[in-house]
């Protein structure tokens, strides 16, 4: 579980509600599900991480244990300790035992772990127009975060006062308990309940942050949106999340992109799709049209005899590729518009065309009707 942060995986803050966690899980599970990403091992691994993160954060006891200790007790054997004989089997970790017996020479003390706790990540949504997502833009975003209290510099103690060594753990941040196991008596360290592992207690809390060391604040950041982002793209701003405790590094800010629809174009990956209507005469005789693209209009030559649903392609006129460079294509589909109502002039012209083509348009051809009856067994 080392290095595995379920909050970062789901893109939610540590104060996220169960509803927000469930919503984030459903969106990511749908995005990385193996059925939607065949033969994509990267997506499969991300799906597994998303599932594991949700299993932790959706279970109140596991979430609390992770928030307090950074693990849930579900780690696999071999994740720590000596070889395959790790803490997953018997509920203890040899690194903790050595730390308890010999001090800071082995592992990290409880107080050190508390002081090195990184701040949680923050996730916000950003809406872009179709064109902004395609070509990129600069945006200013705002997010509510827990920022380091400027008055106490994050210590939580009133300015001018000092922290006091915890009397229960004598400043170590941990207390020891003895557990009888099949290996004998094991000394197992626990986080001190009085100081929550910090090793110190606040005698006079800072009035600005009430002893928390952090206060709510609104941060504003100008960010460059790269060309080619799409709905669901996540952009990371390093160090712009919640401040860490006791001067630890801040978490990251994740910006989740949502792209609006275009009046004419439809986007599928890096390709742009456009449907262009043409008339019967244009389809039969051919026509040259002015077709809109993302870079302005372009002429499209439709050959004579083009049928409805015919596809034409403008290479390199699609969306820039976010990772590999280059651009997709614009795919143009022509559809023949059949008029639902004809004026007298149009009707007369079609009669002449039908006559020249040998088509019957006024009455049903009796010989044809008789043939159809025979085919369907009706006499």
């Amino acid at each position: 579980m080392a290095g595995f942060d379920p909050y970062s995986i789901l893109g939610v803050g540590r104060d996220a509600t169960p509803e927000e966690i469930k919503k984030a899980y459903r969106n990511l599970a749908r995005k990385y599900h193996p059925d939607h990403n065949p033969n994509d091992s990267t997506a499969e691994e991300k799906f597994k991480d998303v599932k594991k993160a949700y299993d932790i954060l959706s279970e109140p006891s596991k979430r609390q244990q992770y928030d307090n200790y950074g693990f849930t007790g579900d780690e696999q054997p071999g994740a720590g300790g000596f070889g395959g004989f790790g803490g997953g089997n018997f509920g203890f970790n040899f690194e903790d035992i050595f730390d308890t017996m010999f001090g800071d020479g082995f592992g990290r003390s409880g107080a050190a772990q508390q002081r090195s706790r990184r701040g949680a990540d923050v996730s916000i949504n950003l809406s872009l127009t179709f064109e902004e997502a395609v070509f990129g833009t600069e945006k200013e975003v705002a997010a509510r975060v827990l920022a380091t209290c400027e008055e106490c510099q994050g210590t939580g103690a009133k300015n001018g006062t000092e922290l006091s060594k915890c009397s229960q753990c004598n400043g170590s941040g941990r207390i020891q308990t003895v557990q009888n196991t099949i290996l004998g008596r094991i000394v197992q360290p626990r986080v001190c309940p009085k100081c929550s592992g910090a090793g110190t207690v606040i005698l006079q809390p800072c009035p600005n942050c009430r002893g928390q060391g952090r206060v709510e604040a609104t941060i504003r950041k100008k960010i460059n949106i790269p060309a080619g982002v799409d709905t669901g793209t996540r952009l990371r701003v390093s160090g712009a999340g919640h401040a860490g405790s006791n001067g630890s590094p801040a978490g990251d800010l994740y910006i989740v992109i949502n792209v609006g629809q275009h009046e004419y174009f439809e986007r599928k990956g890096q390709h742009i799709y456009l449907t262009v209507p043409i008339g019967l005469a244009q389809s039969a005789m051919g026509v040259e049209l002015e077709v809109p693209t993302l870079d302005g209009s372009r002429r499209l030559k439709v050959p004579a005899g083009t049928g409805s649903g015919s596809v034409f392609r403008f290479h390199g006129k699609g969306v820039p590729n976010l990772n590999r460079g280059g651009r997709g294509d614009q795919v143009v589909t022509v559809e023949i518009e059949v008029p639902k109502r004809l004026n007298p002039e149009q009707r007369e012209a079609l009669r002449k065309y039908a006559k020249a083509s040998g088509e019957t348009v006024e009455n049903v051809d009796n010989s044809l009707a008789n043939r159809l009856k025979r085919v369907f067994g009706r006499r």
Side-chain angles (χ1 to χ4, degrees), residues 171-239:
S172 68
R174 294 189 178 186
I175 59 175
Q176 299 177 7
T177 60
V178 178
Q179 182 180 7
N180 293 319
T181 73
I182 60 174
L183 299 178
R185 299 183 67 193
I186 300 296
V187 178
Q188 185 175 10
R190 299 287 187 189
V191 174
C192 175
K194 183 176 182 179
C195 66
S196 298
T200 56
V201 292
I202 299 172
L203 298 179
Q204 298 185 55
C206 170
N208 186 47
C209 65
R210 299 180 180 180
Q212 298 301 311
R214 299 181 295 178
V215 293
E216 287 192 15
T218 299
I219 61 166
R220 298 185 181 277
K221 295 281 186 179
K222 283 189 175 181
I223 60 170
N224 290 318
I225 308 295
V229 297
D230 202 355
T231 295
T233 299
R234 292 205 314 163
L235 305 177
R236 181 170 66 92
V237 182
S238 180

Side-chain angles (χ1 to χ4, degrees), residues 40-121:
D40 189 342
S41 59
T42 301
E44 184 177 354
E45 289 302 316
K46 289 182 178 180
F47 178 79
K48 292 179 181 178
D49 288 344
V50 168
K51 179 65 167 61
K52 183 163 64 174
Y54 180 70
D55 288 343
I56 294 173
L57 299 185
S58 62
E59 176 63 40
S61 61
K62 288 186 179 181
R63 181 178 181 180
Q64 183 178 5
Q65 189 169 7
Y66 177 83
D67 289 342
N68 290 338
Y69 310 118
F71 62 91
T72 65
D74 294 334
E75 288 71 21
Q76 295 299 319
F82 294 140
F85 204 55
N89 278 338
F90 301 103
F92 62 88
N93 188 290
F94 281 104
E95 182 182 275
D96 292 335
I97 298 173
F98 284 135
D99 182 32
T100 301
M101 292 179 177
F102 304 105
D104 291 342
F106 293 87
R108 298 176 297 172
S109 69
Q113 290 186 43
Q114 288 295 320
R115 294 191 184 99
S116 64
R117 178 170 291 179
R118 175 181 177 272
D121 296 329

Side-chain angles (χ1 to χ4, degrees), residues 264-293:
Y264 306 116
F265 299 124
E266 181 183 1
R267 176 178 176 179
K268 295 181 181 179
Q270 266 55 61
H271 299 314
I272 295 294
Y273 292 81
L274 176 68
T275 299
V276 176
I278 61 175
L280 288 169
Q282 293 174 326
S283 170
M285 302 175 66
V287 66
E288 195 167 327
L289 305 172
E290 287 283 343
V291 176
T293 73

Side-chain angles (χ1 to χ4, degrees), residues 130-131 133-134 229-231 259-276 291-294 312-313 317-319 328-333 335:
F130 192 91
E131 289 81 0
V134 169
V229 297
D230 202 355
T231 295
V259 182
Q261 294 183 341
H262 194 275
E263 184 178 3
Y264 306 116
F265 299 124
E266 181 183 1
R267 176 178 176 179
K268 295 181 181 179
Q270 266 55 61
H271 299 314
I272 295 294
Y273 292 81
L274 176 68
T275 299
V276 176
V291 176
T293 73
L294 293 171
F312 301 87
R313 188 179 293 267
K317 292 300 179 180
V319 180
D329 300 334
Q330 177 169 323
V331 180
V332 181
T333 302
E335 285 189 356

Side-chain angles (χ1 to χ4, degrees), residues 115-192:
R115 294 191 184 99
S116 64
R117 178 170 291 179
R118 175 181 177 272
D121 296 329
V122 177
S123 179
I124 62 173
N125 297 321
L126 178 64
S127 295
L128 300 177
T129 66
F130 192 91
E131 289 81 0
E132 287 174 336
V134 169
F135 295 111
T137 185
E138 184 181 75
K139 288 284 186 178
E140 182 179 81
V141 298
R144 293 289 291 175
V145 301
L146 292 174
T148 301
C149 176
E150 295 183 358
E151 188 166 328
C152 68
Q153 298 300 311
T155 65
K158 184 179 179 180
N159 195 13
T161 66
E162 296 182 355
L163 300 175
S164 176
K165 181 188 291 187
C166 176
S167 59
Q168 186 167 344
C169 65
N170 197 29
S172 68
R174 294 189 178 186
I175 59 175
Q176 299 177 7
T177 60
V178 178
Q179 182 180 7
N180 293 319
T181 73
I182 60 174
L183 299 178
R185 299 183 67 193
I186 300 296
V187 178
Q188 185 175 10
R190 299 287 187 189
V191 174
C192 175

